[in-house]
Amino acid sequence: MMNKKELNFWFNRIIRLLLHPSQEWDKIREEPTEKNTLFRKFFIPFCVTVAVAVWFISLLWLNFFYALGYALIHLASNLLGTYVVVLLISEYLNGKSLDAENTALNLTVFSAAIFLFFHSLSGAFGNNFMGQLTDLLSLIFLRTLYTGIYATTELTTNQKTNLFIITSLAIIFIPVILHKLLMILFHIPALNV
């Protein structure tokens, strides 16, 4: 469980990544990163918080159990999808970067957090103005990812471009595809409000 100080730290980190990504990536690059700590202290609580928000917002359109199922599917697809992206990007960076695992972890987790926050809210709001707006806002993660790649890696320009394309497409598509598959598997209706 996170205490108030840790919660404030992670919340401020995401805000700074949105507003001043270059300066925040410089700080992240200097910090030692442990996979379990970043997932356990930041990403899992973040995904749970997003799932709770999705559940409450979905209650406006769906009955209790469908909204709960929808939120749990968001939780599972966000966690599992991001973990798969971390593994994919670690493998891509292996041999190209000195600290491939930590670089992939930081780039993926922090960029995916921004995308998944807005994208999950978009799904909860449904197919209306707020849903469309938050879906468009989810693409702001591209700026954070791009800045992070150039601030934290010592790759060639071509490799940085490839990393940007691979990571951004993986962050967008892997959790979304998992989400759609779980929706089909558990017969949760699509939100077309």
Side-chain angles (χ1 to χ4, degrees), residues 116-168:
L116 294 172
F117 173 74
F118 289 111
H119 184 73
S120 295
L121 290 181
S122 167
F125 283 125
N127 194 16
N128 57 32
F129 175 75
M130 284 303 295
Q132 298 298 320
L133 181 63
T134 52
D135 212 11
L136 283 173
L137 284 173
S138 70
L139 296 177
I140 199 165
F141 91 94
L142 293 170
R143 175 179 178 243
T144 304
L145 175 63
Y146 180 84
T147 307
I149 288 171
Y150 280 85
T152 61
T153 62
E154 62 284 339
L155 303 173
T156 66
T157 303
N158 190 35
Q159 290 173 328
K160 287 180 181 183
T161 303
N162 292 343
L163 179 61
F164 176 72
I165 292 169
I166 292 167
T167 308
S168 59

Coordinates of all heavy atoms in Angstrom, one line a residue, residues 116-168:
L116 N -2.7 4.9 -21.0 CA -3.8 4.1 -20.4 C -4.7 4.9 -19.6 O -5.9 4.6 -19.5 CB -3.2 2.9 -19.6 CG -2.4 1.9 -20.5 CD1 -1.6 0.9 -19.6 CD2 -3.3 1.2 -21.5
F117 N -4.3 5.9 -18.9 CA -5.2 6.8 -18.1 C -6.2 7.4 -19.0 O -7.4 7.2 -18.8 CB -4.4 7.9 -17.4 CG -5.2 8.8 -16.7 CD1 -5.9 8.5 -15.5 CD2 -5.4 10.1 -17.2 CE1 -6.7 9.4 -14.9 CE2 -6.3 11.0 -16.6 CZ -6.9 10.7 -15.4
F118 N -5.8 8.1 -20.1 CA -6.8 8.7 -20.9 C -7.6 7.7 -21.8 O -8.8 7.9 -21.9 CB -6.1 9.7 -21.9 CG -5.6 10.9 -21.1 CD1 -4.2 11.2 -21.0 CD2 -6.5 11.9 -20.6 CE1 -3.8 12.3 -20.3 CE2 -6.0 13.0 -19.9 CZ -4.7 13.2 -19.8
H119 N -6.9 6.7 -22.2 CA -7.7 5.7 -23.0 C -8.7 4.9 -22.2 O -9.8 4.7 -22.7 CB -6.7 4.7 -23.7 CG -7.3 3.8 -24.6 ND1 -7.8 4.1 -25.9 CD2 -7.6 2.4 -24.5 CE1 -8.3 3.1 -26.5 NE2 -8.2 2.1 -25.6
S120 N -8.4 4.6 -21.0 CA -9.4 3.9 -20.1 C -10.5 4.8 -19.8 O -11.7 4.3 -19.8 CB -8.7 3.4 -18.9 OG -7.7 2.4 -19.2
L121 N -10.3 6.0 -19.5 CA -11.4 7.0 -19.3 C -12.2 7.1 -20.5 O -13.5 7.2 -20.5 CB -10.9 8.3 -18.8 CG -10.3 8.4 -17.4 CD1 -9.8 9.8 -17.1 CD2 -11.2 7.9 -16.4
S122 N -11.6 7.1 -21.7 CA -12.4 7.2 -23.0 C -13.3 6.0 -23.1 O -14.5 6.2 -23.5 CB -11.4 7.2 -24.1 OG -12.0 7.0 -25.3
G123 N -12.9 4.8 -22.8 CA -13.8 3.7 -22.8 C -14.9 3.8 -21.8 O -16.0 3.4 -22.1
A124 N -14.6 4.3 -20.7 CA -15.6 4.4 -19.6 C -16.7 5.4 -20.0 O -17.9 5.3 -19.8 CB -15.0 4.8 -18.3
F125 N -16.3 6.5 -20.7 CA -17.2 7.6 -21.1 C -18.1 7.1 -22.2 O -19.2 7.7 -22.4 CB -16.5 8.9 -21.4 CG -16.0 9.7 -20.2 CD1 -14.7 10.0 -20.1 CD2 -16.9 10.0 -19.2 CE1 -14.2 10.7 -19.1 CE2 -16.4 10.8 -18.1 CZ -15.1 11.1 -18.1
G126 N -17.6 6.2 -23.0 CA -18.4 5.7 -24.1 C -18.2 6.6 -25.4 O -17.2 7.4 -25.5
N127 N -19.1 6.4 -26.3 CA -18.9 7.0 -27.6 C -19.7 8.4 -27.6 O -20.6 8.6 -28.3 CB -19.5 6.1 -28.7 CG -19.0 6.5 -30.1 OD1 -18.1 7.4 -30.2 ND2 -19.7 6.0 -31.1
N128 N -19.2 9.3 -26.8 CA -19.8 10.6 -26.8 C -18.6 11.6 -26.8 O -17.4 11.3 -27.0 CB -20.6 10.8 -25.5 CG -19.9 10.5 -24.2 OD1 -18.7 10.8 -24.1 ND2 -20.6 10.0 -23.2
F129 N -18.9 12.9 -26.6 CA -17.9 13.9 -26.7 C -16.7 13.7 -25.7 O -15.5 13.7 -26.1 CB -18.5 15.3 -26.5 CG -17.4 16.4 -26.5 CD1 -16.8 16.8 -27.7 CD2 -17.0 17.0 -25.3 CE1 -15.9 17.8 -27.7 CE2 -16.0 18.0 -25.3 CZ -15.5 18.4 -26.5
M130 N -17.0 13.4 -24.5 CA -16.0 13.2 -23.5 C -15.1 12.0 -23.8 O -13.9 12.0 -23.6 CB -16.6 13.1 -22.1 CG -17.0 14.4 -21.5 SD -15.7 15.6 -21.4 CE -14.6 14.8 -20.2
G131 N -15.8 10.9 -24.3 CA -15.1 9.7 -24.7 C -14.1 10.0 -25.8 O -12.9 9.5 -25.8
Q132 N -14.6 10.7 -26.8 CA -13.7 11.0 -28.0 C -12.6 12.0 -27.6 O -11.5 11.8 -28.0 CB -14.6 11.7 -29.1 CG -15.7 10.8 -29.6 CD -15.1 9.5 -30.3 OE1 -14.1 9.5 -30.9 NE2 -15.8 8.4 -30.0
L133 N -12.9 12.9 -26.7 CA -11.9 13.9 -26.3 C -10.8 13.2 -25.5 O -9.6 13.4 -25.8 CB -12.5 15.0 -25.4 CG -11.5 16.1 -24.9 CD1 -10.9 16.8 -26.1 CD2 -12.3 17.0 -24.0
T134 N -11.1 12.3 -24.6 CA -10.1 11.6 -23.8 C -9.3 10.6 -24.6 O -8.2 10.4 -24.4 CB -10.7 11.0 -22.5 OG1 -11.8 10.1 -22.9 CG2 -11.1 12.0 -21.5
D135 N -10.0 10.1 -25.6 CA -9.3 9.2 -26.5 C -8.2 10.0 -27.3 O -7.1 9.5 -27.5 CB -10.3 8.5 -27.5 CG -9.8 7.1 -27.9 OD1 -8.9 6.6 -27.3 OD2 -10.4 6.6 -28.8
L136 N -8.5 11.2 -27.8 CA -7.5 12.0 -28.5 C -6.4 12.4 -27.5 O -5.2 12.4 -27.9 CB -8.2 13.2 -29.1 CG -9.0 13.0 -30.4 CD1 -9.7 14.3 -30.8 CD2 -8.1 12.5 -31.5
L137 N -6.8 12.7 -26.3 CA -5.8 13.1 -25.3 C -4.8 12.0 -25.0 O -3.7 12.2 -24.5 CB -6.4 13.6 -24.0 CG -7.0 15.0 -24.1 CD1 -7.8 15.3 -22.8 CD2 -6.0 16.1 -24.3
S138 N -5.3 10.8 -25.1 CA -4.4 9.6 -24.8 C -3.1 9.6 -25.7 O -2.1 9.1 -25.3 CB -5.1 8.3 -25.0 OG -5.4 8.0 -26.4
L139 N -3.2 10.3 -26.9 CA -2.0 10.3 -27.8 C -1.0 11.3 -27.3 O 0.1 11.3 -27.9 CB -2.5 10.6 -29.2 CG -3.4 9.6 -29.8 CD1 -3.9 10.0 -31.2 CD2 -2.7 8.2 -29.9
I140 N -1.2 12.0 -26.3 CA -0.2 12.9 -25.7 C 1.0 12.1 -25.2 O 2.1 12.6 -25.0 CB -0.7 13.9 -24.7 CG1 0.2 15.0 -24.5 CG2 -1.0 13.2 -23.3 CD1 -0.4 16.2 -23.8
F141 N 0.8 10.8 -24.9 CA 1.9 10.0 -24.5 C 3.0 9.9 -25.5 O 4.2 9.7 -25.2 CB 1.4 8.5 -24.1 CG 1.5 7.6 -25.3 CD1 2.6 6.8 -25.5 CD2 0.5 7.5 -26.2 CE1 2.7 5.9 -26.5 CE2 0.5 6.6 -27.3 CZ 1.6 5.8 -27.4
L142 N 2.7 10.2 -26.8 CA 3.7 10.1 -27.8 C 4.8 11.2 -27.6 O 6.0 10.9 -27.8 CB 3.1 10.3 -29.2 CG 2.2 9.2 -29.7 CD1 1.4 9.6 -30.9 CD2 3.0 7.9 -29.9
R143 N 4.4 12.3 -27.1 CA 5.4 13.4 -26.8 C 6.3 12.9 -25.6 O 7.5 13.1 -25.6 CB 4.7 14.7 -26.4 CG 5.6 15.8 -25.9 CD 4.7 17.0 -25.6 NE 5.6 18.1 -25.1 CZ 5.5 18.6 -23.9 NH1 4.6 18.1 -23.0 NH2 6.3 19.5 -23.5
T144 N 5.7 12.4 -24.6 CA 6.4 11.9 -23.4 C 7.4 10.8 -23.8 O 8.6 10.8 -23.5 CB 5.5 11.4 -22.4 OG1 4.6 12.4 -22.0 CG2 6.2 10.9 -21.1
L145 N 6.9 9.8 -24.7 CA 7.8 8.7 -25.1 C 8.9 9.3 -26.0 O 10.1 8.9 -25.8 CB 7.0 7.7 -25.9 CG 7.7 6.6 -26.5 CD1 8.4 5.7 -25.5 CD2 6.8 5.7 -27.4
Y146 N 8.6 10.1 -26.9 CA 9.7 10.7 -27.8 C 10.8 11.4 -27.0 O 11.9 11.2 -27.2 CB 9.0 11.6 -28.8 CG 9.9 12.3 -29.8 CD1 10.3 11.6 -31.0 CD2 10.5 13.5 -29.6 CE1 11.2 12.2 -31.9 CE2 11.4 14.1 -30.5 CZ 11.7 13.4 -31.6 OH 12.6 14.0 -32.5
T147 N 10.3 12.2 -26.1 CA 11.3 12.9 -25.3 C 12.1 12.0 -24.4 O 13.3 12.1 -24.3 CB 10.6 14.0 -24.4 OG1 9.7 14.8 -25.2 CG2 11.5 14.8 -23.6
G148 N 11.4 10.9 -23.9 CA 12.1 10.0 -23.1 C 13.2 9.2 -23.8 O 14.3 8.9 -23.3
I149 N 12.9 8.8 -25.1 CA 13.8 8.1 -25.9 C 15.1 8.9 -26.1 O 16.2 8.4 -26.0 CB 13.2 7.6 -27.2 CG1 12.2 6.5 -26.9 CG2 14.2 7.2 -28.2 CD1 11.3 6.1 -28.1
Y150 N 14.9 10.2 -26.5 CA 16.0 11.0 -26.7 C 16.8 11.4 -25.5 O 18.0 11.7 -25.5 CB 15.6 12.2 -27.6 CG 15.5 11.8 -29.0 CD1 14.3 11.3 -29.5 CD2 16.6 12.0 -29.9 CE1 14.2 10.9 -30.8 CE2 16.5 11.6 -31.2 CZ 15.3 11.0 -31.7 OH 15.2 10.6 -33.0
A151 N 16.1 11.4 -24.3 CA 16.8 11.8 -23.1 C 17.5 10.6 -22.4 O 18.4 10.8 -21.6 CB 15.8 12.4 -22.1
T152 N 17.0 9.4 -22.6 CA 17.5 8.3 -21.8 C 18.3 7.2 -22.6 O 18.9 6.3 -21.9 CB 16.4 7.5 -21.1 OG1 15.5 7.0 -22.1 CG2 15.6 8.4 -20.2
T153 N 18.4 7.3 -23.9 CA 19.1 6.3 -24.6 C 20.3 6.9 -25.3 O 20.3 8.0 -25.7 CB 18.2 5.6 -25.6 OG1 17.8 6.6 -26.6 CG2 17.0 4.9 -25.0
E154 N 21.3 6.0 -25.6 CA 22.5 6.4 -26.3 C 22.5 5.7 -27.7 O 23.6 5.4 -28.2 CB 23.7 6.1 -25.5 CG 24.0 4.6 -25.2 CD 23.1 4.0 -24.1 OE1 22.5 4.7 -23.3 OE2 22.9 2.8 -24.1
L155 N 21.3 5.5 -28.3 CA 21.2 4.8 -29.6 C 21.5 5.8 -30.7 O 21.5 7.0 -30.5 CB 19.8 4.3 -29.7 CG 19.3 3.3 -28.6 CD1 17.9 3.0 -28.8 CD2 20.2 2.1 -28.6
T156 N 21.7 5.2 -31.9 CA 21.8 6.1 -33.1 C 20.4 6.6 -33.4 O 19.4 6.2 -32.9 CB 22.3 5.2 -34.3 OG1 21.3 4.3 -34.6 CG2 23.6 4.5 -34.0
T157 N 20.4 7.6 -34.3 CA 19.1 8.3 -34.6 C 18.2 7.3 -35.3 O 17.0 7.3 -34.9 CB 19.4 9.5 -35.6 OG1 20.3 10.4 -34.9 CG2 18.1 10.2 -35.9
N158 N 18.7 6.4 -36.1 CA 17.8 5.5 -36.8 C 17.2 4.5 -35.7 O 16.1 4.1 -35.8 CB 18.6 4.7 -37.8 CG 17.7 3.8 -38.7 OD1 16.6 4.2 -39.0 ND2 18.3 2.7 -39.1
Q159 N 18.1 4.1 -34.8 CA 17.6 3.1 -33.7 C 16.6 3.8 -32.8 O 15.6 3.2 -32.4 CB 18.8 2.6 -32.9 CG 19.6 1.7 -33.7 CD 20.9 1.3 -32.9 OE1 21.4 2.1 -32.1 NE2 21.4 0.1 -33.1
K160 N 16.8 5.1 -32.5 CA 15.8 5.9 -31.7 C 14.5 6.0 -32.4 O 13.4 5.8 -31.8 CB 16.3 7.3 -31.4 CG 17.5 7.2 -30.4 CD 18.0 8.6 -30.1 CE 19.1 8.6 -29.1 NZ 19.6 9.9 -28.7
T161 N 14.5 6.2 -33.7 CA 13.3 6.3 -34.5 C 12.6 4.9 -34.5 O 11.3 4.9 -34.3 CB 13.6 6.7 -36.0 OG1 14.3 8.0 -36.0 CG2 12.3 6.8 -36.8
N162 N 13.3 3.9 -34.7 CA 12.7 2.5 -34.7 C 12.1 2.2 -33.3 O 11.0 1.7 -33.2 CB 13.8 1.5 -35.0 CG 14.2 1.5 -36.5 OD1 13.6 2.2 -37.3 ND2 15.4 1.0 -36.8
L163 N 12.9 2.6 -32.3 CA 12.4 2.4 -30.9 C 11.1 3.1 -30.7 O 10.1 2.6 -30.1 CB 13.5 2.8 -29.9 CG 13.1 2.6 -28.4 CD1 12.8 1.2 -28.1 CD2 14.2 3.2 -27.5
F164 N 11.0 4.4 -31.1 CA 9.8 5.2 -31.0 C 8.6 4.5 -31.7 O 7.5 4.4 -31.1 CB 10.1 6.6 -31.5 CG 8.8 7.4 -31.5 CD1 8.3 7.9 -30.3 CD2 8.1 7.8 -32.6 CE1 7.2 8.7 -30.2 CE2 7.0 8.5 -32.6 CZ 6.5 9.0 -31.4
I165 N 8.8 4.1 -32.9 CA 7.7 3.5 -33.6 C 7.3 2.2 -33.0 O 6.1 1.9 -32.8 CB 8.2 3.2 -35.1 CG1 8.3 4.6 -35.8 CG2 7.1 2.4 -35.8 CD1 9.0 4.5 -37.2
I166 N 8.2 1.3 -32.7 CA 7.9 0.0 -32.1 C 7.2 0.2 -30.7 O 6.2 -0.4 -30.4 CB 9.2 -0.9 -31.9 CG1 9.7 -1.3 -33.3 CG2 8.9 -2.1 -31.1 CD1 11.1 -1.9 -33.2
T167 N 7.8 1.1 -29.9 CA 7.2 1.3 -28.5 C 5.8 1.9 -28.6 O 4.9 1.5 -27.9 CB 8.1 2.1 -27.7 OG1 9.5 1.6 -27.7 CG2 7.7 2.2 -26.2
S168 N 5.7 2.9 -29.4 CA 4.4 3.6 -29.4 C 3.3 2.7 -30.0 O 2.2 2.6 -29.4 CB 4.5 4.9 -30.3 OG 4.9 4.6 -31.6

